Structure formats: C-alpha cells, structure tokens
C-alpha cells in the first residue's frame, strides 16, 4: 500500500490488514509492460488495428453469475462462452461481480496469465464467498495500490453487514497507472444489495463519501451491479449528485441498442432496465457504450449482459 491509502481506510485494524494481505492476484505485475494492442469494445466487433483506439481504454462491468453445477446454465456450460466473449472483446479493465475463487482462476487461465491479472478478496474474507474482483490487462495497466471496504457501519470489518442486508456487500478499489499514457485513475467496483433499498442508499452514500476523499486530480471509474435501474432512483441520484460522476451510457458519443442488463437466461428485453453501470468522472471522454448481447447457440455467459465503455482519460 502506498502513502495515499489512508484516503480510503481510516481505521487500520487487524482485519483491514488481513483484507489487503489476502487479496489474490494470479500473476506477477510488471512495471515494464507494453501497451496492449486494442480493438473497439462494440457489439460483435472484429479485430481492428490498434491505431483506431489510440489511447482509449476498453472497460467493462460484468456480473459473472457465480459458478454453479446446475444445468442448463452451469459454469461448465457457460465457461466456453465467457472465454469466447472476453477473448473477442479483450477489455483492458473489467469490474466483475459474483465470481467465486475457482471461477476467477478459470477466467484468468482462459485469458492468459501473461496478459491478465486480477485483484480481489472474497466478501467473507480470503477466498470465501463472492468477489468484486478487478481484472486488468497487464500490458496496459499497472496497479499502484488497492484495498477493500465493506458496505456497512464498520467498513473496515471483513464480512460486516449492518444496514438490513443479509448478503455481505463490499467494494474493491484500485489505483492504476495507464502504461500507454502515463496517466493514473481510480477504479471502484461493487455489487449493491438485491433486496434492501435502505442498504443500497446507505451504500451509495458511503461510496460517495469515499470518492470525495480521493485525489481530485485523478479521474475515477465506478463499475458495478447496482440492482436498481439507472435514473429515477435515489441510489443513482446520490452517486451522480453534484456532477462528481456521469453515466457513461448517457455521455457516450455512440451507443449500442439498449437492453435490460439482467435477463435471467430469458429472452432479452429491448429498452429494459440498466442495473449494471459504468460511471466516470465528468472529464473522462466516453467514445462509445455497449450492452453486449454475445451468446453461442443460445447459451449466454451469464444471467447479466456485460456493459462496456470505450473511454479516454
């Protein structure tokens, strides 16, 4: 952890130290990595020359749906489709939700450990329970510091739940250096509660408080499954209040067709609710935004559609 870490973690107990110590990157990070060859993050894209993207970052938020053995959407059935999707899109930065430790190891192996690494901790500590793992292209991004906090009255306490949610909720954050441009950014990744609106609202308030403590000179990116539709909900309003963040979907120069991002393996809903968002600092240029409908022979990678944004810091 660098000296900037106290912006986020105000109470440094044993449990907070354990959270950082138990985070589980899969491959060694490298400060001499080269910028990744790029192609646009658009629906059913084909590979294009790197010059078309230039300094743009391909970002994604993706609720993976935890690994289950239950057909017809078991992880064994979904893994090849997830692999095909991610190999095609090659995001530089992915905020994931619901991934389990063995599942994340599978994804890292499928992407290639020489190309991708990840940071995260199980929300119950160590490798236990679901992760808010952040995957990144090591040839494009270098993590400078990272940590985690829990969405409760005791954010430094691993596994804490105090706002009426029975499921543990948390945030994983990373400060990155973009190896192509030398610029830095903060990335926060989360998954808000699926049942409790009061918990979601208090979670949004805590995330907003932590964002305000960051170095204002650095852009920030927030990815997650927020479990409420964009627009018309206090959670959305809180996170975007005062112009501190913008919705990349609304700010994008171009957009794909809109679908509800949670489909539950049922037919897609055109113009449905976006509950998975990528938010960014107002100064971030958003070239395009995509809700990715990739599937293979009727099998989707997850019960959520990945959301992508092509951005420039």
């Amino acid at each position: 952890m660098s000296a900037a870490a106290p912006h986020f973690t105000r109470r440094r107990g044993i449990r907070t130290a354990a959270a950082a110590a138990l985070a589980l990157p899969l491959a060694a990070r490298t400060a001499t990595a080269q910028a990744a060859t790029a192609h646009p993050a658009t629906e059913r894209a084909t590979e294009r020359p790197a010059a078309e993207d230039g300094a743009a970052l391909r970002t994604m938020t993706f609720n993976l749906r935890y690994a289950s053995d239950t057909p017809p959407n078991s992880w064994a059935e979904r893994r090849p489709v997830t692999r095909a999707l991610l190999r095609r899109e090659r995001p530089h930065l992915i905020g994931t939700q619901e991934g389990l430790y063995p599942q994340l190891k599978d994804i890292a192996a499928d992407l290639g450990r020489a190309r991708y690494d990840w940071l995260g901790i199980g929300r119950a500590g160590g490798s236990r329970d679901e992760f808010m793992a952040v995957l990144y292209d090591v040839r494009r991004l270098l993590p400078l510091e990272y940590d985690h906090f829990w969405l409760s009255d005791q954010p430094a306490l691993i596994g804490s739940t105090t706002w009426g949610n029975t499921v543990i909720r948390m945030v994983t954050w990373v400060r990155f250096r973009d190896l192509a441009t030398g610029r830095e950014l903060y990335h926060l990744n989360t998954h808000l509660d699926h049942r409790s609106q009061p918990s979601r609202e208090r979670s949004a308030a805590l995330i907003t408080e932590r964002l305000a403590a960051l170095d204002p000179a650095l852009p920030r990116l927030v990815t997650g499954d927020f479990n409420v539709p964009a627009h018309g909900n206090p959670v959305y309003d809180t996170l975007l209040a005062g112009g501190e963040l913008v919705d990349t979907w609304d700010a994008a120069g171009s957009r794909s067709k809109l679908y509800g991002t949670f489909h539950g393996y049922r037919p897609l809903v055109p113009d449905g609710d976006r509950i998975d968002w990528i938010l960014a600092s107002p100064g971030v240029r958003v070239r395009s935004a995509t809700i990715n409908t990739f599937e293979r022979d009727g099998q989707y990678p997850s019960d959520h559609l990945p959301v992508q944004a092509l951005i420039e810091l």
Side-chain angles (χ1 to χ4, degrees), residues 250-303:
D250 294 335
S254 64
R255 288 180 289 275
S256 70
K257 184 175 177 59
L258 172 62
Y259 290 96
T261 58
F262 173 74
H263 58 80
Y265 306 115
R266 295 183 293 273
L268 302 185
V269 178
D271 300 318
D273 291 334
R274 283 190 300 118
I275 68 170
D276 302 87
W277 316 331
I278 300 176
L279 309 178
S281 300
V284 172
R285 180 190 174 197
V286 187
R287 289 173 48 175
S288 64
T290 304
I291 296 174
N292 196 314
T293 60
F294 180 83
E295 51 84 23
R296 180 173 286 174
D297 298 326
Q299 179 67 66
Y300 285 91
S302 172
D303 58 354

Side-chain angles (χ1 to χ4, degrees), residues 68-91:
S68 165
D69 295 331
T70 305
N73 298 299
S74 67
W75 176 236
E77 292 165 290
R78 293 188 291 116
R79 180 181 176 182
V81 189
T82 301
R83 177 172 59 238
L85 165 73
L86 294 177
R87 284 183 175 178
R88 187 193 67 175
E89 299 299 336
R90 287 292 182 187

